[in-house]
Amino acid sequence: NKLKAMGIPFETDRGNIYATKNPKNNPLVPCFVSHIDTVHAITDEIHVLEFYEGRILTGFNRVKMTQTGIGGDDKVGIYYCIKALEQLDAVKVAFFRDEERGCLGSAEAKMGFFKDVSMVLQGDRKGHNDFVTKISGIDLSEKDFQNDVLDIVTTHDYKFCTFGGTTDVGQLRKNGITVPVVNISCGYYNHNSKDEYIDMDKVENGLSMFLEIARTFGEKEYY
């Protein structure tokens, strides 16, 4: 519904959603991905509580009067995808199903969708300063890409991290994608628990970094 309201062309396949914004038919575009499942119970009773002038967010069930978790894993990643569609001139976006069950959606990804992407960026990690370059011993990017983005990464108070957890960009590497892929800490904490919260300042800092990387190097061919 959001993509329809934005006028963004998209297709669905095996529960995954693929959207493209490329009005000038650029030969290479950056790509953002996220997953649309969560480990939290799905309920209509979740209410977002805001603290510190709306910068800290958590979920609350007003019927049971308990915290519920807010689903920052991976609503923050979804937010990044939507903002990329809004703010970049050209970008591709994929929303995957069932990441929490073992990256089932990205394991069945339509790999042809990524044939004209320069990089794949994902926000799906707790905390706020990890720029993941390796998952389970698998390199997500090579030194040329890392050298290109180093100044942007450092300016945003991030650091390269080589011990990332399972997520969709790692699965895409297993699927055979060769362009640089990245996962970052994106401002959610105590994830997958009722005490989960989101720090919007950290969320926006990660988004700013990704958008700058996409604008600066999104049309560069890496591998």
Side-chain angles (χ1 to χ4, degrees), residues 30-85:
C31 180
F32 284 60
V33 302
S34 60
H35 65 87
I36 53 179
D37 60 324
T38 178
V39 300
H40 294 295
I42 305 302
T43 173
D44 293 332
E45 299 299 337
I46 187 172
H47 175 72
V48 178
L49 293 183
E50 301 182 7
F51 301 92
Y52 301 102
E53 298 182 345
R55 305 315 295 168
I56 302 297
L57 311 177
T58 191
F60 192 75
N61 186 316
R62 291 184 291 186
V63 175
K64 297 182 178 180
M65 296 300 290
T66 58
Q67 280 186 272
T68 62
I70 196 169
D73 178 5
D74 192 30
K75 288 178 184 174
V76 174
I78 295 171
Y79 177 75
Y80 281 8
C81 289
I82 296 298
K83 288 298 180 180
L85 288 167

Side-chain angles (χ1 to χ4, degrees), residues 90-179:
V91 65
K92 282 190 163 187
V93 165
F95 303 90
F96 292 118
R97 66 170 175 84
D98 291 331
E99 186 270 354
E100 300 289 3
R101 296 177 60 210
C103 297
L104 301 185
S106 50
E108 297 182 337
K110 294 181 63 174
M111 295 308 295
F113 176 78
F114 303 95
K115 68 181 185 301
D116 55 355
V117 305
S118 56
M119 62 186 67
V120 183
L121 308 176
Q122 181 168 18
D124 184 29
R125 184 175 173 87
K126 65 180 180 179
H128 58 267
N129 61 6
D130 291 335
F131 189 99
V132 179
T133 61
K134 186 175 291 191
I135 292 177
S136 300
I138 298 174
D139 288 324
L140 303 186
S141 59
E142 315 305 332
K143 288 298 183 182
D144 55 348
F145 173 77
Q146 293 169 24
N147 289 336
D148 277 350
V149 303
L150 178 59
D151 286 346
I152 299 174
V153 170
T154 303
T155 299
H156 287 82
D157 295 323
Y158 275 77
K159 56 180 174 55
F160 293 144
C161 170
T162 59
F163 49 92
T166 301
T167 194
D168 297 302
V169 289
Q171 182 62 53
L172 291 177
R173 271 276 163 151
K174 292 180 181 179
N175 292 358
I177 198 169
T178 58
V179 299

